[in-house]
Amino acid sequence: MEDLILVTGGAGFIGSNFILQWLAPESTGVLNLDKLTYAGNLSNLESIQSNQYRFEGGDIVDRGLVCALLTREKPRAIVHFAAESHVDRSIHGPDDFIRTNVNGTFSLLEEARAYWSALPESDRALFRFLHVSTDEVYGSLGPSDPPFSETTPYAPNSPYSASKAASDHLVRAYHHTYGLPVLTTNCSNNYGPFQFPEKLIPLMILNACQGKSLPVYGDGKNVRDWLYVEDHCRAIRKVLARGRVGETYNIGARSEKNNLEIVGAICQLLDGLRPADPVVPHNQLITFVKDRPGHDRRYAMDTRKIERELDWHPQESFASGLEKTVRWYLEHEDWVRSVTSGSYRQWMAKHYASER
Ligand code: NAD
Ligand code: TYD
């Protein structure tokens, strides 16, 4: 086995942040397998100087490719981010979610099992398959329900969360049945640099700067627990290094906010940073639009397990993380331009069509 990790989906939002963090001076090799869907952007990784990093274009569903990569590269771990990740897209078209999230995870697990089974015994004990998942598999909470813990029963409500739940179950079964050394992380909503601007926070930042409406679904009171992406990446590294095989770890910031609070905070930051924008104060742009079908009301995470076992705690507060994020989008106009062409415009036109 080589001192190398195989990352899937490393050109997406969280995967690229993870690779950038991983390649900080003392780290070892990374091979990034990514299909480069609309959500994958190699420009996220263009600052990398290290010769420890390589990219391989390809689909995780392609078992021949995954098999060849594992045989050739002999990684000591797979860190699996690749997925279709946007709930609204899963409502418009669930097929790709089943294909990548369910069949793709299955392909990886099968090929990882074959590779791992053939390793010498000492390497078998060291190998890890880390599956990156979401809090959305647990369903929706009422206002005074306790947060989701690792033992909360699964109750996914969208095609996205159902496909992630299915993949989590497969990962669990591969440990239980075959002994594959897996780890699963379930994390709350992330925000930060390189997030594709169809998700709430970057969408609102970019629309507000351009004087476009800020489309808040329903009454804007849906609650999420927002974690700065680099804190998520630090948690994944800890779980990979020291997590107990076969276990799942919930990750979150203990920072519950409703959508109106988020959009209001973005507007307030922009009022200070961009006083000459077309519409100021920016919160005049807030527009209530038709709700998302099946919209989960509240997510919240009980993170005591990862805090206790791995001494992980978020380093960023919501205020500091949001300010960093807003500034990042304002300072990276070229990146924004490069990802908001063709298919992005089509999505925006289709999803936010006038009847909403
Ligand atoms: P993203 O949509 O930004 O990136 C997904 C990446 O996977 C892209 O680079 C894409 O090209 C790649 N990909 C998609 N299908 C592929 C395939 N068939 N083969 C190879 N590559 C493929 O997603 P993200 O927000 O970075 O999320 C990464 C992971 O973290 C996902 O598994 C997601 O479920 C999970 N997660 C995300 C959040 C969040 O708030 N974004 C929170 C918790 C968990
Ligand atoms: P999103 O970023 O899509 O993450 P998720 O649905 O996976 O939690 O959305 C976060 C919240 O923001 C969710 O409650 C839906 C809401 N939302 C809006 O109100 N308007 C929008 O335009 C978008 C994209 C999301």
Side-chain angles (χ1 to χ4, degrees):
M1 232 168 34
E2 302 296 325
D3 199 2
L4 168 95
I5 60 168
L6 172 63
V7 169
T8 71
F13 164 47
I14 306 174
S16 58
N17 276 283
F18 178 82
I19 292 175
L20 292 170
Q21 194 180 88
W22 183 270
L23 290 171
E26 75 281 4
S27 270
T28 52
V30 179
L31 178 66
N32 174 15
L33 170 61
D34 196 300
K35 185 182 165 184
L36 298 181
T37 67
Y38 78 94
N41 295 293
L42 285 179
S43 60
N44 298 5
L45 299 158
E46 71 190 8
S47 67
I48 295 176
Q49 306 277 326
S50 166
N51 56 9
Q52 300 273 34
Y53 167 75
R54 276 173 300 138
F55 173 72
E56 177 86 28
D59 191 330
I60 56 165
V61 177
D62 180 348
R63 282 183 57 177
L65 170 68
V66 174
C67 174
L69 280 181
L70 293 175
T71 312
R72 188 181 82 207
E73 303 287 345
K74 302 188 172 34
R76 69 172 173 85
I78 297 173
V79 184
H80 175 33
F81 294 94
E84 290 292 335
S85 68
H86 189 189
V87 173
D88 292 321
R89 285 188 190 249
S90 84
I91 295 167
H92 284 274
D95 303 51
D96 285 346
F97 288 74
I98 304 305
R99 186 181 177 281
T100 289
N101 301 1
V102 184
N103 296 335
T105 303
F106 170 67
S107 300
L108 281 178
L109 284 166
E110 269 296 87
E111 294 307 326
R113 177 167 78 93
Y115 164 70
W116 168 77
S117 305
L119 287 173
E121 201 170 325
S122 54
D123 285 349
R124 272 213 304 276
L126 294 175
F127 180 77
R128 296 288 182 272
F129 184 107
L130 191 151
H131 175 60
V132 179
S133 192
T134 165
D135 58 358
E136 304 193 24
V137 297
Y138 297 120
S140 183
L141 293 168
S144 50
D145 287 340
F148 303 128
S149 78
E150 287 81 359
T151 55
T152 301
Y154 275 31
N157 289 319
S158 71
Y160 164 66
S161 55
S163 67
K164 290 297 290 186
S167 66
D168 292 10
H169 289 322
L170 284 170
V171 170
R172 176 191 155 88
Y174 270 64
H175 176 66
H176 191 80
T177 305
Y178 304 113
L180 189 71
V182 305
L183 298 154
T184 297
T185 54
N186 293 88
C187 188
S188 63
N189 285 59
N190 283 214
Y191 66 99
F194 302 114
Q195 186 165 32
F196 195 72
E198 64 183 9
K199 302 279 174 76
L200 180 74
I201 288 182
L203 177 88
M204 295 297 170
I205 297 169
L206 299 187
N207 277 15
C209 291
Q210 294 167 27
K212 292 185 182 161
S213 71
L214 306 179
V216 172
Y217 299 164
D219 64 2
K221 297 286 172 60
N222 302 70
V223 171
R224 303 289 184 261
D225 171 9
W226 292 92
L227 179 69
Y228 191 66
V229 62
E230 291 178 12
D231 280 322
H232 184 191
C233 295
R234 278 187 275 272
I236 293 171
R237 285 167 55 207
K238 284 210 163 182
V239 173
L240 184 62
R242 294 198 286 115
R244 284 187 293 132
V245 164
E247 293 290 314
T248 72
Y249 292 90
N250 282 358
I251 305 168
R254 297 177 182 243
S255 172
E256 291 182 51
K257 304 261 181 272
N258 71 40
N259 294 335
L260 273 177
E261 290 175 294
I262 302 288
V263 179
I266 292 169
C267 289
Q268 218 173 4
L269 281 165
L270 289 174
D271 289 347
L273 293 166
R274 308 257 307 190
D277 274 349
V279 179
V280 177
H282 294 84
N283 65 6
Q284 294 173 76
L285 293 165
I286 292 175
T287 312
F288 290 94
V289 300
K290 198 171 120 204
D291 208 355
R292 171 188 281 173
H295 195 176
D296 284 339
R297 193 66 176 166
R298 173 175 167 241
Y299 306 139
M301 287 298 239
D302 177 342
T303 54
R304 282 176 296 178
K305 181 175 175 182
I306 190 169
E307 289 165 7
R308 188 180 62 241
E309 289 190 15
L310 301 177
D311 193 26
W312 171 86
H313 304 271
Q315 292 180 12
E316 218 61 67
S317 69
F318 183 71
S320 66
L322 189 68
E323 178 162 354
K324 276 188 183 177
T325 304
V326 169
R327 286 183 186 277
W328 188 89
Y329 279 90
L330 299 184
E331 286 160 9
H332 289 81
E333 282 179 5
D334 287 351
W335 182 89
V336 169
R337 242 191 316 277
S338 77
V339 305
T340 52
S341 56
S343 71
Y344 176 76
R345 294 217 193 96
Q346 281 164 21
W347 165 256
M348 296 298 282
K350 177 169 118 184
H351 183 60
Y352 297 98
S354 50
E355 78 272 10
R356 288 181 60 86

